[in-house]
Amino acid sequence: MENEHAAGAAPAGRGVANASAALAAQAGRVRVTVGLGSCGIAAGAKDVYAALCQELAASDVDVVGVGCMGLCYAEPVVGVSRPNGESRYFGSVDVRQAAEIARFARDCGSAPAGELDMQEAFEGQVRLVMDESGCIDPHALEEFRALGGYKALEKALSLSPDDVVDLVEASGLRGRGGAGFPTGAKWRQCAQAVEALKAAGDDAFSFVVMNGDEGDPGAYMNRSLLESNPHRVLEGVVIAAYAVRARRAYLFVRSEYPLACRTLEEAVAQLYAAGLLGEHVFGSDFSLDVRVVRGAGAYLNGEETALLRVLEDGVCRPRKRPPYPAEKGLKGRPTCVNNVETLASVPFVVARGSQAFRSTGTPTCPGTKLFSVVGDVERCGLVEVPLGTSIGALASKIGRAGEFKAVQIGGPSGGLLPASVADAPIDYESLVELGAIMGSGGFVVVGHDQCVVDMALYFMRFSRDEACGQCRSCLAHADRCIEILEALTQGSAGEGQVEELREAAQAIAKSALCGLCKSSANVVLSALRYFPEEFAAHVRGECPGLVCRDLVSYEIDQVRCQGERCCLLTCPGNAIKGRFGKPGNIVGRLCQKCGMCAVSCPYDAVRKVTPAR
């Protein structure tokens, strides 16, 4: 069952439509928005934006490029907001439809097809962190401030640093990028370390580091936030810096996110130009220098001690803890490292209070969490749900998944959880009990036509290839896991090797230096725990998901086949034999198992079978 506390009343944000309508009302003009986040651009939003600009150039309608509101399955998304409070949105818009939307915006035509039901689109979500995403121009500081942006910072600066720490601690906010360490406790530890240095006569100060090196396959929460609402994150950064007595903040973003990097750099420049960064922030005695750092994109940069080492000398290597960064981090100074989503949650806590934040989520895991829902779903995208929402609700109710086999949650450090635990709540402790972790929020729905053993192999290879190489034992056990998983997918593993695989995975968890490598065994251990029958099938030379190439073969259904030889033209191995007008056959020794015959057949006459024949 979905957690009752999570399902109850929550301090929902104003909503995308209402926020966009508020901006239209302030301007007194019709406002047309186009989602120009990475997902929208990939779907053709730039062409739609250009067409709308051309169509509405001579009108009193504003055309605004905004970020992503999370409806990635419906991109390009275009909104029309009027000063009277009306907002309507349209999905999968192309250039032809852009002309129709332009006429509608000018009140010269009816609403075009493809209108989105926004209430239905955001069903099950509570948008606190993403409240302004998809409605404001991420390049316009004035739009963010028009909706109350930086009011939380003003409030924080009217309090003492310790009062701000108390507020965040009372909210129960936990780190959104890993195991869920309490944010307030980390801030207090950092602030106390600074005060201890001051007491010893040191000119004490700390650093704040924003960890935006999002490396989990299928995860893009940080990227979307930075592209769509960089000032929301920056406000959290400055509040954190004030609370922990920092003088400088480093914003670490992976260079594979060029749009996020450019948007964030521009936002920082705007704050300096407005006098909201540098000396005397908002006219206070507090001063802060902020720098954006583009990382090389190594997955291990997400581990905080490795990230700090990169900032110091460019080498991505984690170190043993303690001491923890909050006590002794960058350049030997106390350093507060927080994830992008964690920092983006802070303005709500400060502006609305700790109890408002606690009114959603669960008692031990308050607030909301962003997830990138991908895989075998109808609606892939970025969603924000109360912590305590069930696994099944996220997959089926929000992602619109049909019957599924499993979910992969938490990225390479997470776990493969079966559909049988769909009623389990998504919170930090519950996921650990199930053999996974929250991680940054990757959520991959796995259908029945996928192979758990093959997925475990993929993630284990990823973790091994991204490891720093310091722990020889860790690498040796990871290599052994990969060898056994490869043998299973090839049908050459014996029964005893499954248990050996378990022992090697457990050895990784015990011997690795850093948290990321320790938890890399989760995917193998959870797969063994919940899907022993799939491993047993692979030992027998069968792949239930019909994925492992060495364990499947292709056959032509003699009843369905119409003898049109569509498959013959696509077969690279000339493996398909037979007369025109008669059902064909596939010669196994010539078949390269590329699957092109199945793709090209209009009669669905080619099927995969296991074991291979």
Side-chain angles (χ1 to χ4, degrees), residues 161-162 164-165 187 191 238-246 286:
D162 286 337
V164 177
V165 174
W187 287 16
V238 182
I239 293 172
Y242 175 70
V244 303
R245 290 76 162 167
F286 172 62

Side-chain angles (χ1 to χ4, degrees), residues 315-458:
V315 178
C316 178
R317 286 194 173 182
R319 63 170 173 79
K320 191 174 182 179
R321 300 177 298 177
Y324 292 94
E327 300 168 332
K328 187 177 181 181
L330 185 63
K331 302 176 183 178
R333 293 280 178 183
T335 304
C336 181
V337 184
N338 285 131
N339 164 268
V340 169
E341 185 184 341
T342 308
L343 292 165
S345 302
V346 168
F348 181 92
V349 171
V350 174
R352 300 282 292 275
S354 59
Q355 290 308 308
F357 188 77
R358 280 189 171 277
S359 64
T360 188
T362 73
T364 57
C365 299
T368 60
K369 179 73 187 76
L370 303 188
F371 290 95
S372 55
V373 179
V374 297
D376 292 312
V377 294
E378 289 184 12
R379 294 186 172 181
C380 62
L382 190 62
V383 305
E384 183 175 357
V385 297
L387 282 165
T389 298
S390 70
I391 291 172
L394 189 54
S396 301
K397 183 178 179 181
I398 295 177
R400 295 293 195 271
E403 188 179 348
F404 60 94
K405 177 191 292 187
V407 295
Q408 163 68 15
I409 187 168
S413 298
L416 275 163
L417 304 180
S420 60
V421 301
D423 289 341
I426 299 175
D427 62 59
Y428 295 98
E429 284 72 32
S430 296
L431 289 178
V432 169
E433 288 178 8
L434 292 172
I437 62 170
M438 185 84 69
S440 59
F443 190 87
V444 184
V445 179
V446 182
H448 286 281
D449 59 346
Q450 301 297 320
C451 174
V452 166
V453 178
D454 184 67
M455 288 191 69
L457 174 59
Y458 167 81

Side-chain angles (χ1 to χ4, degrees), residues 2 18 83 101 176 183 207 248 325 335 346 391 476 533 589 599:
E2 186 173 336
N18 292 337
I101 292 174
R176 298 303 198 234
T183 303
F207 294 106
R248 175 172 292 172
T335 304
V346 168
I391 291 172
E533 71 285 352
R589 61 183 177 82
V599 172

Side-chain angles (χ1 to χ4, degrees), residues 209-216 219-224 226 233 250-257 260-261 264 293-295 297-299 301-302 307 337-341 343:
V209 176
M210 181 201 79
N211 186 349
D213 195 80
E214 182 177 54
D216 291 6
Y220 52 93
M221 294 73 60
N222 294 350
R223 188 204 73 203
S224 183
L226 294 173
V233 182
Y250 292 93
L251 313 180
F252 195 92
V253 189
R254 61 192 298 112
S255 57
E256 288 92 336
Y257 290 170
C261 290
L264 186 61
V293 179
R294 298 193 181 202
Y299 170 68
N301 283 350
L307 185 152
V337 184
N338 285 131
N339 164 268
V340 169
E341 185 184 341
L343 292 165

